Amino acid sequence: MEKGDTITFQGFGVFTLWQQTQREGRNPRTGKQCIIAPRTSVKFKPGKFLLKKLNKS
């Protein structure tokens, strides 16, 4: 993932990188606003078989 590649586990799901943009945040204790810096994060998309197992009726 450090190289920007997607990781796929067949039947489980896919991990992909995405860029979060800079945004305004707030300290919940003080209420003071601050800027949250942009960063790279990971998204997970579950696979068909994992969803089928989790949602058995």
Side-chain angles (χ1 to χ4, degrees), residues 26-43:
R26 186 178 59 83
N27 183 327
R29 259 190 210 166
T30 64
K32 184 179 176 185
Q33 291 196 354
C34 61
I35 298 294
I36 300 172
R39 65 186 182 136
T40 301
S41 192
V42 178
K43 282 189 177 183

Side-chain angles (χ1 to χ4, degrees), residues 1 4 15-21 23 38-44:
M1 288 194 92
F15 293 91
T16 56
L17 295 177
W18 70 289
Q19 295 294 321
Q20 290 183 335
T21 58
R23 62 191 191 278
R39 65 186 182 136
T40 301
S41 192
V42 178
K43 282 189 177 183
F44 174 71

